[in-house]
Amino acid sequence: MEITLALIKPHVMRNTIAFAAIKQLIKDNFTILDSKEVYITKGLSELFYAEHKGKFFYNRLTTFMASGPCYALILQSKDCIAKWRALMGPTKVFKAVHAHPGCIRALYGLSDTRNACHGSDSKTAALKEIAILFPDFIRDNVSENS
């Protein structure tokens, strides 16, 4: 079994219907190992998105992520990273709407920054991101066969 981090972005947290729909989609497709509402400060956002520093969207992204609460989840399933990324859809909302109209970002994304959710893009990134938002999570307690 594989784990990944899922992060529901601030604008979705303000939309209770969208938030509930995404949470139900997650419950239907994954085992949730942990979840919590998180307030991502500008500094934490900069640490979380450090690989994007210097890119044109970096300041907009880190500022937006600090604009309100997010909801973080540790998900587990077979091929969890690819499965979550497929449910999210493309990062760019325009592409999501046209190429994957039923995905989360097509349904609830507003822009490329406000694209509803985040998901780790690799096992290494998942472990790094989980450690940032769930510092007490112990990977050794996760069953590889469940």
Side-chain angles (χ1 to χ4, degrees):
M1 289 296 196
E2 187 174 72
I3 63 172
T4 196
L5 178 86
L7 190 60
I8 310 302
K9 293 187 176 183
H11 74 283
V12 175
M13 293 288 292
R14 293 181 193 105
N15 180 337
T16 56
I17 294 170
F19 180 54
I22 293 171
K23 278 179 51 178
Q24 188 60 53
L25 183 64
I26 290 169
K27 286 178 186 177
D28 291 345
N29 286 280
F30 301 93
T31 299
I32 300 170
L33 300 180
D34 203 349
S35 64
K36 64 182 178 182
E37 187 172 296
V38 294
Y39 289 86
I40 299 178
T41 63
K42 179 84 163 144
L44 185 60
S45 183
E46 289 170 352
L47 175 65
F48 194 84
Y49 290 108
E51 72 273 9
H52 297 302
K53 189 170 186 165
K55 295 181 181 174
F56 73 93
F57 59 83
Y58 177 76
N59 187 55
R60 181 176 62 228
L61 176 61
T62 56
T63 300
F64 168 65
M65 292 303 289
S67 71
C70 295
Y71 196 74
L73 306 99
I74 302 173
L75 307 181
Q76 182 182 35
S77 75
K78 185 177 188 302
D79 301 319
C80 192
I81 293 168
K83 187 176 177 181
W84 173 237
R85 292 182 69 77
L87 284 171
M88 287 190 305
T91 301
K92 296 188 178 297
V93 172
F94 180 82
K95 182 176 181 180
V97 167
H98 293 284
H100 304 276
C103 74
I104 292 169
R105 288 174 168 158
L107 296 171
Y108 307 109
L110 303 175
S111 69
D112 295 350
T113 301
R114 299 171 194 261
N115 60 2
C117 48
H118 167 86
S120 307
D121 63 4
S122 68
K123 289 180 182 182
T124 301
L127 294 176
K128 174 190 161 237
E129 293 169 356
I130 288 167
I132 291 170
L133 296 180
F134 293 89
D136 297 329
F137 178 73
I138 301 171
R139 173 69 172 101
D140 294 343
N141 292 343
V142 177
S143 169
E144 294 292 329
N145 299 315
S146 56

